[in-house]
């Protein structure tokens, strides 16, 4: 005899909300493109997931935390691992070559002292998580910006990710956010789920440094939690401390 | 493309570089996978991410898929894994929370109550409920996905159903 509660659960999920048409379209299109371009990837000897690798990363295990984080090391050439082709693409890009979160300088990038970079307008329905993943993937693949996004003027007042009538927009000045009030621009970082034993987490992190993300399943791009003043167009701008030689 | 092509035939064509076969294959399974991801995460944006990432991984690993086995459970397993990971990181996720039944105006009150009760479960128990009851994985398969002993799957499901009955004010079966 079936349990009526079990039946109700199945029905409630089956009859509940479904994915948007836009998402279904995006997922099916991506599946088709994935198999069609596979031979080209194989020729290049690149993994599809390679874009999410950090070259020269420093491994930091968050003691007692839920995650082991793999963080960018400012001593690296870039905060996203690049093939020689992708590195050439970044060098040739008027935008990416001066992105402080991607190409670290000798001192930390600050919002107050960085010339604003354009923003990217993504298709409607894109989430912040997706936008960041696509940005990093695209840069690491060939040193360019995501095909599906369009360039737009810089976001103002320190906004990082915000909804606009033309679609969601991501700041290229500080896509991973910035520290309030110092203005320090954040680098990308990666995480390993906390249920992975420490030894295994260390091994995975080392594998990422050595061989790329495909060498370690379950490693994901960290998505920062942005304060309202960095993501809501109508919120008061975040406070920014004046830059002094001391800070 | 024949509408009656089996999943196995579509996988074979997709492996040969047939993009339309891959699209049809993805289209057949995206709804179920998304609903499961939504039930696990309770959030539309996280369900979107789990499905996108899961399908991306599945289709990039299509050569490793065992064609003697059904495709649906394989891709659902990958998506469910992503959803569980994302749900476990709930506090780090950004964006805008929405209720589990947002956008489902056609759903009746009873279904809303069930979904609300499901959302009220501990995430570990909710994941077991979705894997066992919604996606139909066996206890062994669910244990493998969650990386816990089979006994834990049984106990979590038992407790989850007890919680659900209490929340829905249904007498024990």
């Amino acid at each position: 005899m079936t349990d009526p509660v079990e039946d109700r659960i199945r029905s409630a999920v089956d009859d509940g909300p479904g994915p948007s048409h836009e998402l279904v379209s995006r997922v099916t299109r991506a599946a088709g493109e994935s198999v069609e371009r596979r031979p080209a990837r194989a020729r290049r000897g690149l993994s599809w997931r390679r874009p999410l690798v950090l070259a020269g990363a420093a491994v930091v295990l968050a003691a007692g935390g839920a995650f082991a984080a793999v963080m960018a090391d400012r001593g690296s050439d870039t905060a996203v691992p690049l093939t020689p082709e992708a590195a050439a693409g970044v060098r040739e890009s008027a935008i990416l070559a001066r992105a402080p979160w991607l190409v670290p300088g000798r001192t930390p990038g600050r919002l107050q002292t960085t010339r604003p970079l354009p923003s990217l307008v993504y298709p409607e329905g894109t989430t912040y998580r997706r936008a960041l993943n696509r940005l990093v993937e695209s840069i690491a693949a060939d040193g360019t910006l995501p095909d599906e996004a369009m360039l737009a003027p810089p976001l103002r007042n320190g906004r990082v990710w915000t909804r606009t009538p033309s679609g969601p927009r991501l700041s290229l000045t500080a896509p991973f956010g910035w520290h309030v009030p110092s203005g320090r621009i954040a680098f990308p970082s990666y995480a390993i789920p906390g249920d992975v034993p420490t030894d295994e987490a260390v091994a995975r992190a080392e594998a990422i440094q050595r061989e790329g993300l495909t060498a370690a399943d379950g490693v994901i791009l960290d998505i920062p939690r942005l304060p309202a003043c960095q993501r809501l167009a109508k919120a008061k701008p975040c406070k920014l401390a004046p830059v002094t030689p001391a800070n | 493309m024949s509408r009656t092509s089996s999943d196995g035939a579509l996988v074979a064509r997709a492996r040969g570089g047939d993009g339309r076969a891959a699209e049809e294959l993805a289209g057949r399974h995206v709804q179920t996978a998304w609903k499961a991801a939504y039930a696990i995460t309770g959030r539309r944006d996280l369900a979107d991410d789990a499905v996108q990432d899961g399908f991306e991984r599945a289709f990039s690993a299509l050569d490793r898929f065992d064609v003697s086995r059904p495709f649906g459970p394989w891709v659902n397993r990958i998506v469910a894994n992503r959803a569980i990971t994302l749900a476990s990181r709930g506090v780090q996720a950004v964006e805008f929370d929405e209720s589990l039944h947002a956008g489902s105006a056609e759903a009746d009150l009873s279904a809303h109550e069930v979904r609300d009760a499901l959302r009220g479960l501990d995430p570990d128990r909710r994941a077991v409920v979705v894997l066992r009851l919604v996606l139909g994985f066996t206890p062994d398969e669910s244990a493998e996905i969650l990386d816990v002993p089979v006994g834990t799957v049984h106990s979590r499901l038992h407790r989850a159903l007890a919680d659900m009955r209490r929340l829905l004010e249904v007498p024990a079966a």
Side-chain angles (χ1 to χ4, degrees):
Chain A
M1 194 176 87
T2 59
D3 182 333
V5 170
E6 294 183 15
D7 289 341
R8 285 178 69 183
I9 292 170
R10 289 189 193 96
S11 299
V13 174
D14 283 347
D15 300 340
S20 65
H21 293 305
E22 195 271 336
L23 177 84
V24 172
S25 167
R26 205 180 326 145
V27 168
T28 54
R29 195 171 56 241
E33 289 171 358
S34 151
V35 301
E36 284 172 354
R37 69 174 182 242
R38 191 181 307 159
R41 285 202 310 275
R43 276 199 301 277
R44 289 202 306 269
L46 291 175
S47 157
W48 196 23
R49 300 294 298 187
R50 185 169 175 78
L52 289 178
V53 178
L54 266 179
V59 179
V60 179
L61 295 177
F67 295 91
V70 182
M71 304 182 70
D73 177 351
R74 289 213 316 276
S76 307
D77 290 341
T78 61
V80 174
L82 301 175
T83 60
E85 296 88 351
V90 168
R91 280 196 301 272
E92 291 164 9
S93 167
I95 298 168
L96 294 176
R98 59 188 180 91
W101 56 272
L102 176 64
V103 186
R106 288 184 181 175
T107 56
R110 295 284 183 87
L111 202 69
Q112 303 92 317
T113 55
T114 298
R115 204 168 106 206
L117 294 173
S119 59
L120 281 180
V121 182
Y122 281 87
E124 203 59 66
T126 305
T127 61
Y128 180 49
R129 176 186 305 278
R130 184 71 185 161
L132 288 182
N133 273 303
R134 285 291 302 128
L135 177 64
V136 171
E137 286 174 1
S138 181
I139 289 170
D142 54 13
T144 63
L145 296 167
D147 290 340
E148 72 273 25
M150 291 185 302
L151 279 174
L155 288 172
R156 305 175 72 176
N157 296 324
R159 305 290 188 234
V160 170
W161 171 255
T162 189
R163 308 274 167 191
T164 69
S166 54
R169 276 168 66 180
L170 178 70
S171 163
L172 286 174
T173 310
F176 292 87
W178 50 275
H179 179 259
V180 180
S182 72
R184 187 171 294 188
I185 291 170
F187 292 103
S189 68
Y190 298 82
I192 297 170
D195 57 358
V196 175
T198 302
D199 290 351
E200 171 67 18
V202 171
R204 287 189 191 184
E206 288 173 349
I208 295 166
Q209 294 175 264
R210 200 173 53 246
E211 303 165 44
L213 192 71
T214 48
D217 273 347
V219 176
I220 41 188
L221 181 65
D222 246 341
I223 307 300
R225 185 179 178 85
L226 299 175
C229 56
Q230 293 184 15
R231 62 182 166 82
L232 298 180
K234 291 185 178 172
K236 268 180 71 175
C238 297
K239 286 185 178 170
L240 265 175
V243 177
T244 65
N247 66 4
Chain B
M1 183 69 61
S2 163
R3 291 184 64 186
T4 56
S5 293
S6 68
D7 279 2
L10 291 176
V11 169
R13 290 179 190 175
R15 280 176 168 176
D18 184 341
R20 294 190 64 171
E23 287 182 14
E24 183 173 348
L25 190 61
R28 282 184 184 181
H29 297 284
V30 67
Q31 292 273 347
T32 300
W34 190 91
K35 287 184 177 189
Y38 194 20
I40 290 170
T41 62
R43 286 177 47 167
R44 185 173 282 275
D45 60 336
L46 295 185
D48 285 359
D49 286 340
V51 167
Q52 287 181 112
D53 290 351
F55 273 67
E56 207 170 270
R57 283 174 185 225
F59 279 86
S60 66
L62 210 53
D63 290 336
R64 296 202 294 272
F65 170 64
D66 177 358
V67 288
S68 68
R69 308 188 71 166
F71 180 79
W74 185 67
V75 72
N76 286 341
R77 173 190 293 241
I78 295 171
V79 171
N81 257 322
R82 290 293 297 138
I84 290 165
T85 300
L86 293 175
S88 71
R89 309 183 67 205
V91 293
Q92 288 211 3
V94 291
E95 288 299 280
F96 318 104
D97 271 314
E98 60 182 323
S99 74
L100 188 58
H101 50 70
S104 59
E106 75 282 0
D108 62 18
L109 181 61
S110 170
H112 279 180
E113 287 172 353
V114 174
R115 285 194 291 270
D116 279 342
L118 191 57
R119 187 170 57 141
L121 293 179
D122 174 275
D124 289 340
R125 293 181 188 177
R126 191 165 65 227
V128 169
V129 168
V130 174
L131 292 174
R132 292 281 293 112
L133 304 183
V134 177
L135 293 175
F137 286 113
T138 65
D140 284 344
E141 290 168 335
S142 302
E144 189 187 326
I145 291 169
L146 295 168
D147 196 21
V148 297
V150 177
T152 303
V153 170
H154 287 303
S155 61
R156 283 183 186 173
L157 182 62
H158 178 78
R159 289 178 186 136
L161 290 174
D163 287 347
M164 292 287 284
R165 285 191 189 93
R166 183 174 46 77
L167 291 165
L168 297 171
E169 297 178 345
V170 174

